[in-house]
Amino acid sequence: MLSSHGTSVHETGIGSSSPLTGNPYTDFARLGMDLQGCHVRYRRTPNAQGHTLTGTFNICGTGYTMGATSYPQLVERVFAKWQEKQAYRRRCRAEKRMRNTLAFIARHPDATILPAYLS
């Protein structure tokens, strides 16, 4: 789903270009997340942190627990936490690729490595 600026929801986050439906499975799917299970609790009174909404979400096998004062804020916070996790995984994969490349170069010093692969 592209906004009027030609950017996707993945680049810009949650905004007016993708209104929430109230169905967590649909809302998270629009954001590119594979929601496998969730449990949202509406509280009568705010908890110690002031949250009136709490939820647990199983996204691609990873559990996320979050609290908020409204449903859009809850979705936004879970999405932000998921993006942090994805960025961490990308960094770890890049570091592992570099370690493996350096180990290969150490074992085979006469091998030619393409510069594009190292970047």
Side-chain angles (χ1 to χ4, degrees):
M1 173 183 240
L2 295 178
S3 69
S4 60
H5 302 292
T7 57
S8 71
V9 174
H10 303 284
E11 297 169 312
T12 58
I14 301 170
S16 59
S17 63
S18 63
L20 298 175
T21 63
N23 179 351
Y25 293 95
T26 304
D27 294 335
F28 284 112
R30 283 184 179 176
L31 296 172
M33 301 163 60
D34 182 22
L35 180 63
Q36 297 172 340
C38 71
H39 189 82
V40 177
R41 293 171 209 84
Y42 293 89
R43 303 176 57 88
R44 291 178 196 225
T45 59
N47 63 6
Q49 291 82 20
H51 300 143
T52 54
L53 225 68
T54 58
T56 56
F57 303 90
N58 180 356
I59 300 169
C60 298
T62 302
Y64 296 88
T65 302
M66 199 64 61
T69 56
S70 66
Y71 178 72
Q73 185 183 28
L74 183 67
V75 172
E76 180 95 25
R77 286 182 171 185
V78 172
F79 182 65
K81 189 58 89 172
W82 179 76
Q83 283 185 318
E84 286 176 21
K85 184 81 166 185
Q86 294 302 309
Y88 171 76
R89 288 178 176 164
R90 279 191 297 276
R91 281 192 312 272
C92 287
R93 287 184 192 124
E95 289 171 7
K96 182 176 181 179
R97 242 187 339 266
M98 184 54 72
R99 282 193 314 269
N100 289 344
T101 302
L102 294 175
F104 178 82
I105 291 171
R107 287 191 315 271
H108 307 284
D110 57 333
T112 303
I113 305 295
L114 300 175
Y117 182 74
L118 293 175
S119 57

